[in-house]
Each structure stands twice: as C-alpha cells, then as structure tokens.
Amino acid sequence: MNILIAASEAAPLAKTGGLADVCGALPKALAQLGHNVALIIPAYRSTKKFPSEPTGVELKISIAGREVRGTYRKCFIPEIGVPVYLVEHNGYFDRDGLYNSDNEDYADNCERFVFFSYAVLEAIRLLNLQVDVIHLNDWQTGLIAALQTIYYRDKPGYEKIAVLFTIHNIAYQGVFPASAMTLTGLHWKYFNWLQMECFDHLNLLKTGIVFSDGITTVSPNYAREITSSPGGCGLEDVLRARRDVLWGITNGIDVEEWNPETDKFLENHYTAATRSEGKTACKLDLQNRMDLPRRADVPVIGLVGRLTEQKGFDLAVELIYRKAAAGEDIQWVLLGSGDPILENRLRELASRYSQNVAVSIRYSNELAHQIIAGSDIFLMPSRFEPCGLTQLYSLRYGTIPVVHATGGLVDTVRDLNPETEAAKTATGILFCNADIQGITWGIDQALNIYRNRPNVWKQMQETAMNLDTSWKQSAGKYAELYKKIRRNRPET
Ligand code: ADP
Ligand code: GLC
C-alpha cells in the first residue's frame, strides 16, 4: 500500500515530544512490512541540520486572498530509505521553536498549518506521489481531512485516497478565533457545531475527527477515556458520534535507538542477562554526571518529560520535598523544560537538597537516555497520558516504572499484585490517584520491593526487558486499518 504520513514533527528532524518519536519510527516499521511510505513535515530550522535536496518544485497557495509561495525539499530516513518531504517556507518555519518561543504560541500558528495542510495535498499532484492513504497526526494536520473531502476528492488522482486521523493528545485542539475560518479557504457553511466550530471557535482537531474516514488514538484505554468527560476535553460527543470508526493502537518504540545493548549515549551496555552490573555502571555514571554522591546502594528515581500540567511534575516535587525533609535515602534525577514556574520550583528543590536531588532544565536526548538507563525507578505521575513512551523506554532498560493508572500507562505497565507476581508478568507499579497520597503510595510500594524483595524486583526487570515493545505489531494494526478504511470509503 502507498501511505503518506503527514505530521508537524518527526524525529530526528524536529521534535518537541512523543509525536516526533512516533512519526519517525512508524514509517520505518511500515516500510519494513513492505509498504511504500513517505513522510511530510514542515522544513523547520532544526531540519536544516540534516542533508536534503531541493526538488525544484514550487507551490502557490492562496490564503485569505494572498498568494503564498513555498517549495519542497527531500531527504531520507537513514538506512531504510523512507523519503521525507520538507515543506519549505522560511517565513513560517525557519524559527527558533516549532510552535512557540519563550512559552508564547506563535500568533500565526493557524496560518502556518493551513499553509502546511494545503502543501501536503498539493504535494501529491506536484510531486506525483502515489498515495492510497494519508495518515494525519494531531490538530496541525486536521484541516487536511476537510480539504480532501471538500476540495480534492473530485480531482484526478485524489478520488480513492482515504484519510486516517490519529489523535496523540486531545488536550491540544488547535483552537482559533472564528475569523480564522477565512484562512482555511473553506465556505462558512462548514463553521457549524457538527463540523469545524466548537464553542464559537474554529477547532482543527474536531475538523480532523469529523472529516476523516477513520480515527485512531495511541492506546485502547485512551480511546475509551476520550469518549466521555473529562477525558474528551469537550470533544467526547463528537467522538461518540464517530465511535464506529475510532480505534486505539498502542505506540511502539524505536528499538534500535532505545536499546541498552547498543545505546550510543551510554558508556556501559547491558542485556537482560547482564543488567545487574550494567545498570550499576550506568547508575554510577549518571550520579557522576549529575553531581550526586556515587553510590550503588541508593535507589535512584528518574523523571523525564515536558513540564506541563499533564505530566504531574508538581506532584513529584511535593513528594520529593517530603521524602527529603524526612531524610529518606533516595536520589532523584529530573530532566525537563516548559512551564517557567515549575522550572524554578525544580531549581529550588535541587539547590535545597543537592545531595539527593539533581535537576537539569533543558532538552537533552542524550541525558534522557542516561537517566532511563541509570535509574532504578522511573516515575510518571501524569494526570493523563494518551500513551506515553518514556515508560516503554524504561521497561526496555529494566528501569521499573511507577505510573498513575491512566490512559496508555494502564495498557503498557502491568501492575505488581499477587497474581501477576505468581505469573511473573508484573512490570511496574500503578497508583490510582494523581495526588500526593497516590504518588506516595506508588513510590513506597516500589521502594519496599526494591529494598526488601530483590528477587521480585529482578523478576520484574527481566519480564520488562523481554517484552516486545517494538513497532512491529502496532504497525501491522495500522496497515490493517488503512485497508479497512479504504474498503469502507463510500465511493470505492
Ligand atoms: P509527550 O509526547 O506527551 O511529551 P511521551 O512520553 O510520549 O510524552 O514522549 C516524550 C518524548 O520526549 C520522549 O522521547 C522523551 O524522552 C522526550 N523528552 C521529553 N522531555 C525531554 C527533555 N527535556 N529532554 C529530552 N527528551 C525529552
Ligand atoms: C502525545 C502524548 C503521549 C504520546 C505521544 C505519542 O504527546 O502526550 O502520551 O505517547 O503523543 O503518541
């Protein structure tokens, strides 16, 4: 099958979070299954570090009566040779950030992604791409579903293209003032509560949900959560109306990039069989790097993520203050950036308890790998989590995840209880409430097993490291769905 994946970020070219990991790894997995895959993303400043060629093809798009011109560049995902088309318009995309800088969203985000949306559909014609399915991701691409249905479907070459829309995070909906409707080039009649309008605003995520042939989200549990309140963030009714074509497919991980046996960011490598010495060496390295006392016997708890309300770092901060004040022998290593208030709270915490807490406020893929390898426990107190990738990375590195029982964390971490202990299927600890009692309970459980039941701990590590978290299965499920939505399209 011929698949075009459109997204606003893809690793390693441009990344702010897990969306990029997925859009970098899924095309490779689909190509390995024998599909003909191409990826299309904006040519941000960060993409310019990678070699690419101009295609020489120009595009012209009319936005609110103005002609806007751009071009396409082309590069390849290394090794597997998946082509990546980069939509180039330096005014829109050659900026410091992808969507914002200094925590302020770019004022022209709607226009930027309207341009990108047209550029994706125009690429099919201008670059002569063979496409059976366009796979869209998140609000930045939602308009493409409407444009394909309303404008392009009748054009030669577009008649049989089906559209799959994946929701990675329903909390980000691409909401703009009603006046932004004029940028889309679509008739005002589509600005109604059943299609593109939501609480008097233009809503591009809703647009994607309404106009696509099929919808997925990134775990089965999150697929259930978003069809009711509060999980649906106001779009639960829209999703319920499309329940027949809504599926949850759990994300996989790039098992080449995240492999403790070969990880290029680690000085020491290990397998499930050598994890005991291997992880200790990684732990000592991490302590060294983070200026913490070098001790193999102290439990190290790691956190990595965007500093937003979603990730629950504020709960972790409260927990760490309590544990440190009580003099508990634990080391904490935190990596993240985002909310400036939270960034400051983390800095204060680290300066107050410098023997127990190390904080790095930045984006560093290298350090993320080192924390995930060198910690004993990985904490994810997310208030909600569509899938989550860092717990999957942790599992593969034998770092036991302690997670809030929400979204994809429920689908990917198997809680330790008498049954799972006996069956040797447990891989982590889930706690029920995202509050200080919940997180304390979860961490205390984990510490108790770590300190007092080393055999159970080792078994959990072994089970976790032997799980198949690769993309293979999930890529197969996407391929099935592509087929299904093509069959179900009214005109085919
Ligand atoms: P989300 O997409 O909601 O941010 P995921 O767990 O799906 O959450 O993916 C987050 C990705 O971003 C992971 O690859 C994680 O390692 C990475 N990441 C997040 N914050 C940082 C950071 N400060 N430095 C390096 N990597 C980060
Ligand atoms: C989103 C979600 C995260 C998910 C990622 C990739 O950013 O917050 O849970 O893993 O997308 O699908």
PDB file of all heavy atoms in Angstrom, residues 266-281:
ATOM      1  N   LEU A 266      25.377   5.748  25.972  1.00  0.00           N
ATOM      2  CA  LEU A 266      25.823   5.100  27.214  1.00  0.00           C
ATOM      3  C   LEU A 266      27.269   4.637  27.092  1.00  0.00           C
ATOM      4  O   LEU A 266      27.688   4.177  26.033  1.00  0.00           O
ATOM      5  CB  LEU A 266      24.952   3.872  27.517  1.00  0.00           C
ATOM      6  CG  LEU A 266      23.452   4.085  27.666  1.00  0.00           C
ATOM      7  CD1 LEU A 266      22.779   2.777  28.053  1.00  0.00           C
ATOM      8  CD2 LEU A 266      23.143   5.157  28.718  1.00  0.00           C
ATOM      9  N   GLU A 267      27.971   4.737  28.218  1.00  0.00           N
ATOM     10  CA  GLU A 267      29.337   4.220  28.216  1.00  0.00           C
ATOM     11  C   GLU A 267      29.358   2.727  28.503  1.00  0.00           C
ATOM     12  O   GLU A 267      30.285   2.021  28.138  1.00  0.00           O
ATOM     13  CB  GLU A 267      30.173   4.963  29.253  1.00  0.00           C
ATOM     14  CG  GLU A 267      30.661   6.285  28.686  1.00  0.00           C
ATOM     15  CD  GLU A 267      31.254   7.179  29.747  1.00  0.00           C
ATOM     16  OE1 GLU A 267      31.817   6.667  30.729  1.00  0.00           O
ATOM     17  OE2 GLU A 267      31.136   8.417  29.565  1.00  0.00           O
ATOM     18  N   ASN A 268      28.319   2.259  29.209  1.00  0.00           N
ATOM     19  CA  ASN A 268      28.241   0.835  29.545  1.00  0.00           C
ATOM     20  C   ASN A 268      26.972   0.249  28.949  1.00  0.00           C
ATOM     21  O   ASN A 268      25.910   0.861  29.067  1.00  0.00           O
ATOM     22  CB  ASN A 268      28.194   0.671  31.063  1.00  0.00           C
ATOM     23  CG  ASN A 268      29.439   1.227  31.697  1.00  0.00           C
ATOM     24  OD1 ASN A 268      30.469   0.588  31.715  1.00  0.00           O
ATOM     25  ND2 ASN A 268      29.358   2.465  32.184  1.00  0.00           N
ATOM     26  N   HIS A 269      27.114  -0.908  28.371  1.00  0.00           N
ATOM     27  CA  HIS A 269      25.944  -1.534  27.753  1.00  0.00           C
ATOM     28  C   HIS A 269      25.565  -2.802  28.494  1.00  0.00           C
ATOM     29  O   HIS A 269      26.393  -3.393  29.180  1.00  0.00           O
ATOM     30  CB  HIS A 269      26.231  -1.816  26.278  1.00  0.00           C
ATOM     31  CG  HIS A 269      26.431  -0.550  25.510  1.00  0.00           C
ATOM     32  ND1 HIS A 269      27.624  -0.202  24.956  1.00  0.00           N
ATOM     33  CD2 HIS A 269      25.581   0.462  25.262  1.00  0.00           C
ATOM     34  CE1 HIS A 269      27.506   0.981  24.380  1.00  0.00           C
ATOM     35  NE2 HIS A 269      26.277   1.411  24.560  1.00  0.00           N
ATOM     36  N   TYR A 270      24.308  -3.184  28.349  1.00  0.00           N
ATOM     37  CA  TYR A 270      23.887  -4.409  29.043  1.00  0.00           C
ATOM     38  C   TYR A 270      22.691  -5.051  28.358  1.00  0.00           C
ATOM     39  O   TYR A 270      22.013  -4.426  27.532  1.00  0.00           O
ATOM     40  CB  TYR A 270      23.570  -4.103  30.515  1.00  0.00           C
ATOM     41  CG  TYR A 270      22.477  -3.071  30.753  1.00  0.00           C
ATOM     42  CD1 TYR A 270      21.163  -3.463  30.956  1.00  0.00           C
ATOM     43  CD2 TYR A 270      22.758  -1.704  30.784  1.00  0.00           C
ATOM     44  CE1 TYR A 270      20.158  -2.522  31.185  1.00  0.00           C
ATOM     45  CE2 TYR A 270      21.767  -0.765  31.018  1.00  0.00           C
ATOM     46  CZ  TYR A 270      20.464  -1.179  31.210  1.00  0.00           C
ATOM     47  OH  TYR A 270      19.475  -0.250  31.427  1.00  0.00           O
ATOM     48  N   THR A 271      22.489  -6.320  28.706  1.00  0.00           N
ATOM     49  CA  THR A 271      21.332  -7.083  28.222  1.00  0.00           C
ATOM     50  C   THR A 271      20.515  -7.480  29.450  1.00  0.00           C
ATOM     51  O   THR A 271      20.924  -7.192  30.585  1.00  0.00           O
ATOM     52  CB  THR A 271      21.795  -8.375  27.539  1.00  0.00           C
ATOM     53  OG1 THR A 271      22.491  -9.143  28.529  1.00  0.00           O
ATOM     54  CG2 THR A 271      22.723  -8.107  26.370  1.00  0.00           C
ATOM     55  N   ALA A 272      19.433  -8.223  29.217  1.00  0.00           N
ATOM     56  CA  ALA A 272      18.646  -8.702  30.367  1.00  0.00           C
ATOM     57  C   ALA A 272      19.540  -9.562  31.272  1.00  0.00           C
ATOM     58  O   ALA A 272      19.447  -9.497  32.498  1.00  0.00           O
ATOM     59  CB  ALA A 272      17.433  -9.479  29.880  1.00  0.00           C
ATOM     60  N   ALA A 273      20.436 -10.314  30.662  1.00  0.00           N
ATOM     61  CA  ALA A 273      21.283 -11.216  31.456  1.00  0.00           C
ATOM     62  C   ALA A 273      22.350 -10.466  32.253  1.00  0.00           C
ATOM     63  O   ALA A 273      22.729 -10.898  33.340  1.00  0.00           O
ATOM     64  CB  ALA A 273      21.945 -12.243  30.537  1.00  0.00           C
ATOM     65  N   THR A 274      22.816  -9.339  31.725  1.00  0.00           N
ATOM     66  CA  THR A 274      23.908  -8.630  32.413  1.00  0.00           C
ATOM     67  C   THR A 274      23.430  -7.335  33.073  1.00  0.00           C
ATOM     68  O   THR A 274      24.220  -6.428  33.336  1.00  0.00           O
ATOM     69  CB  THR A 274      25.035  -8.282  31.415  1.00  0.00           C
ATOM     70  OG1 THR A 274      24.490  -7.431  30.398  1.00  0.00           O
ATOM     71  CG2 THR A 274      25.625  -9.514  30.760  1.00  0.00           C
ATOM     72  N   ARG A 275      22.121  -7.237  33.287  1.00  0.00           N
ATOM     73  CA  ARG A 275      21.583  -5.949  33.740  1.00  0.00           C
ATOM     74  C   ARG A 275      22.089  -5.518  35.105  1.00  0.00           C
ATOM     75  O   ARG A 275      22.198  -4.323  35.376  1.00  0.00           O
ATOM     76  CB  ARG A 275      20.047  -5.970  33.725  1.00  0.00           C
ATOM     77  CG  ARG A 275      19.450  -6.875  34.782  1.00  0.00           C
ATOM     78  CD  ARG A 275      17.948  -6.942  34.689  1.00  0.00           C
ATOM     79  NE  ARG A 275      17.380  -7.854  35.634  1.00  0.00           N
ATOM     80  CZ  ARG A 275      17.364  -9.170  35.511  1.00  0.00           C
ATOM     81  NH1 ARG A 275      17.922  -9.756  34.451  1.00  0.00           N
ATOM     82  NH2 ARG A 275      16.814  -9.924  36.438  1.00  0.00           N
ATOM     83  N   SER A 276      22.380  -6.491  35.955  1.00  0.00           N
ATOM     84  CA  SER A 276      22.741  -6.120  37.313  1.00  0.00           C
ATOM     85  C   SER A 276      24.014  -5.263  37.301  1.00  0.00           C
ATOM     86  O   SER A 276      24.017  -4.119  37.776  1.00  0.00           O
ATOM     87  CB  SER A 276      22.902  -7.387  38.146  1.00  0.00           C
ATOM     88  OG  SER A 276      23.272  -7.023  39.426  1.00  0.00           O
ATOM     89  N   GLU A 277      25.087  -5.777  36.704  1.00  0.00           N
ATOM     90  CA  GLU A 277      26.337  -4.985  36.655  1.00  0.00           C
ATOM     91  C   GLU A 277      26.171  -3.792  35.716  1.00  0.00           C
ATOM     92  O   GLU A 277      26.641  -2.685  35.989  1.00  0.00           O
ATOM     93  CB  GLU A 277      27.523  -5.813  36.132  1.00  0.00           C
ATOM     94  CG  GLU A 277      27.707  -7.192  36.733  1.00  0.00           C
ATOM     95  CD  GLU A 277      26.802  -8.235  36.072  1.00  0.00           C
ATOM     96  OE1 GLU A 277      27.064  -8.556  34.913  1.00  0.00           O
ATOM     97  OE2 GLU A 277      25.828  -8.705  36.714  1.00  0.00           O
ATOM     98  N   GLY A 278      25.481  -4.039  34.588  1.00  0.00           N
ATOM     99  CA  GLY A 278      25.341  -2.986  33.565  1.00  0.00           C
ATOM    100  C   GLY A 278      24.600  -1.773  34.108  1.00  0.00           C
ATOM    101  O   GLY A 278      25.037  -0.629  33.931  1.00  0.00           O
ATOM    102  N   LYS A 279      23.515  -2.031  34.814  1.00  0.00           N
ATOM    103  CA  LYS A 279      22.738  -0.889  35.322  1.00  0.00           C
ATOM    104  C   LYS A 279      23.502  -0.175  36.442  1.00  0.00           C
ATOM    105  O   LYS A 279      23.403   1.044  36.580  1.00  0.00           O
ATOM    106  CB  LYS A 279      21.355  -1.342  35.815  1.00  0.00           C
ATOM    107  CG  LYS A 279      20.372  -1.505  34.668  1.00  0.00           C
ATOM    108  CD  LYS A 279      18.924  -1.691  35.119  1.00  0.00           C
ATOM    109  CE  LYS A 279      18.275  -0.444  35.681  1.00  0.00           C
ATOM    110  NZ  LYS A 279      18.059   0.609  34.679  1.00  0.00           N
ATOM    111  N   THR A 280      24.230  -0.935  37.229  1.00  0.00           N
ATOM    112  CA  THR A 280      25.004  -0.291  38.291  1.00  0.00           C
ATOM    113  C   THR A 280      26.032   0.658  37.674  1.00  0.00           C
ATOM    114  O   THR A 280      26.201   1.796  38.128  1.00  0.00           O
ATOM    115  CB  THR A 280      25.705  -1.349  39.175  1.00  0.00           C
ATOM    116  OG1 THR A 280      24.695  -2.195  39.692  1.00  0.00           O
ATOM    117  CG2 THR A 280      26.469  -0.710  40.312  1.00  0.00           C
ATOM    118  N   ALA A 281      26.701   0.202  36.623  1.00  0.00           N
ATOM    119  CA  ALA A 281      27.693   1.070  35.969  1.00  0.00           C
ATOM    120  C   ALA A 281      27.011   2.328  35.411  1.00  0.00           C
ATOM    121  O   ALA A 281      27.530   3.447  35.547  1.00  0.00           O
ATOM    122  CB  ALA A 281      28.398   0.300  34.862  1.00  0.00           C
TER     123      ALA A 281
END
